[in-house]
Amino acid sequence: MAKHIEFSATGGPEILRYSEFTPVDPANNEVQVENRAIGINYIDTYIRNGLYPPAQLPSGLGTEAAGVVTKVGSTVTSIKVGDRVAYAQSTLGAYSEVHNVAENQVVVLPDTISFEQAAASFLKGLTVYYLLRRTYKIQPGEIFLFHAAAGGVGLIACQWAKTLGAKLIGTVGSDEKAQLAKNAGAWQVINYNRENIVERVHEITHGEKVGVVYDSVGKSTWLDSLDCLKRHGLMVSFGNASGPVTGVDLGILNQKGSLFVTRPSIAGYISTREELDEASKALFALIASGKINVDVPENQKFPLSEATKAHQILESRATQGSCLLIP
């Protein structure tokens, strides 16, 4: 027997249940992982609350973790029992002591990367990789805007931008988070609770604005993001923390400078084994070299049984960087 988190109806954090289940053997193309650290991502709250409803209920939750392989399927060739691994997959269920994962969604961890570092950074780091290197390839010296710069994805983006020699302008909700983003490598920081985002971007860029905006906030920053873009700029909308962007009048893109908009996801950029290997290699190299630090504060590590509390704190915007569940 093992323990996991499941839910039978969509709603608030209180619907999450810590319960017992009997693990099944992995399928032919799967490996079974004994999770040592589990990543919590904001998308997990969208699935739990029904914005991105699961295919069926009851359902597990979570897509990212790191641990040790305990069993392998009959056709698995690249992973063996005892391997230290990390995964970020499309199917749910990572909030668990034991989880079966498809071989092509698992990567072997270098010895220099801890389970906690991997679980705190894998999905978020792959997200930053595709955003900054694939959706729009940020160049050295380039100025761009990145919302929620003190979040889990944001802090990795600040550090990655610094390694590229680029100038990230980050938005945050407090002076404490502003300092955190600056320490991580943000070039400039805007506290949206006491500064006007559009006015500050105009000031910082001397009226030129930016060529690309990365926005995971959604509804509340949509128009501000468009107003920060120069002519022919690209709006990258990759999240809905304040609610989804709906009812968009495409004419506004013309009015604001013949702008471009994209709504990317990790599945659209990292869907093959080769793409996963390339992205994870880039991420792990930066972590191993110390250029990206993903250490998680102790007060943001929760026992698996406290998933409800973890979601409550995450949605309160009180966290800084990544959060973990520890089986």
Side-chain angles (χ1 to χ4, degrees):
M1 301 296 285
K3 296 291 183 67
H4 70 168
I5 297 294
E6 65 175 357
F7 60 107
S8 298
T10 57
E14 69 280 355
I15 67 169
L16 299 178
R17 298 198 313 269
Y18 180 60
S19 58
E20 199 167 57
F21 77 110
T22 302
V24 299
D25 287 339
N28 290 345
N29 66 333
E30 292 181 333
V31 301
Q32 187 167 95
V33 182
E34 182 182 281
N35 289 333
R36 301 294 177 83
I38 301 161
I40 304 173
N41 294 284
Y42 214 91
I43 194 172
D44 300 344
T45 70
Y46 301 156
I47 294 166
R48 188 212 70 225
N49 66 27
L51 180 62
Y52 300 159
Q56 62 183 28
L57 292 169
S59 173
L61 190 60
T63 59
E64 171 186 41
V68 177
V69 174
T70 54
K71 295 180 180 180
V72 299
S74 60
T75 64
V76 171
T77 58
S78 64
I79 307 290
K80 65 182 185 299
V81 171
D83 279 348
R84 301 170 68 254
V85 297
Y87 61 87
Q89 56 169 37
S90 55
T91 54
L92 301 174
Y95 285 18
S96 181
E97 292 177 339
V98 176
H99 193 44
N100 293 342
V101 189
E103 176 187 16
N104 64 3
Q105 295 178 326
V106 176
V107 298
V108 176
L109 278 181
D111 292 338
T112 51
I113 309 293
S114 71
F115 293 122
E116 291 190 359
Q117 286 177 314
S121 69
F122 197 49
L123 182 58
K124 299 175 185 69
L126 296 184
T127 298
V128 173
Y129 169 82
Y130 85 73
L131 289 173
L132 302 192
R133 309 312 295 150
R134 300 288 301 280
T135 304
Y136 178 99
K137 196 164 186 177
I138 295 293
Q139 300 298 316
E142 183 165 10
I143 301 173
F144 66 100
L145 183 65
F146 202 104
H147 288 291
V153 172
L155 287 178
I156 294 176
C158 289
Q159 296 175 83
W160 208 312
K162 185 177 180 180
T163 71
L164 295 173
K167 297 178 177 180
L168 181 149
I169 303 171
T171 69
V172 297
S174 69
D175 289 340
E176 182 183 9
K177 289 188 174 183
Q179 191 59 54
L180 196 67
K182 284 183 180 179
N183 291 345
W187 177 61
Q188 298 279 349
V189 182
I190 300 169
N191 181 343
Y192 55 76
N193 281 320
R194 59 178 180 79
E195 297 177 291
N196 182 286
I197 293 173
V198 178
E199 290 178 0
R200 284 291 294 130
V201 167
H202 278 244
E203 290 172 6
I204 291 167
T205 63
H206 305 291
E208 291 190 10
K209 301 192 278 190
V210 298
V212 61
V213 174
Y214 295 99
D215 191 342
S216 63
V217 178
K219 183 178 180 179
S220 68
T221 50
W222 168 251
L223 292 177
D224 280 350
S225 292
L226 297 182
D227 285 335
C228 290
L229 285 167
K230 63 179 65 174
R231 187 166 62 106
H232 303 166
L234 174 64
M235 167 66 170
V236 182
S237 177
F238 70 101
N240 312 279
S242 68
V245 177
T246 58
V248 176
D249 177 4
L250 291 179
I252 199 172
L253 303 179
N254 171 44
Q255 297 163 16
K256 294 183 180 295
S258 295
L259 304 177
F260 294 86
V261 175
T262 185
R263 182 60 173 88
S265 69
I266 192 169
Y269 284 93
I270 303 175
S271 60
T272 68
R273 180 81 238 180
E274 292 73 24
E275 289 169 342
L276 178 61
D277 286 343
E278 178 184 339
S280 59
K281 181 179 179 180
L283 173 64
F284 291 154
L286 290 174
I287 295 174
S289 68
K291 293 179 180 177
I292 288 182
N293 174 22
V294 291
D295 292 337
V296 178
E298 288 300 320
N299 65 350
Q300 291 179 197
K301 299 176 186 177
F302 303 89
L304 179 60
S305 59
E306 294 183 6
T308 293
K309 179 180 178 182
H311 273 225
Q312 290 170 338
I313 293 174
L314 181 65
E315 290 182 298
S316 75
R317 305 285 184 91
T319 60
Q320 299 175 348
S322 299
C323 298
L324 294 176
L325 294 173
I326 306 298

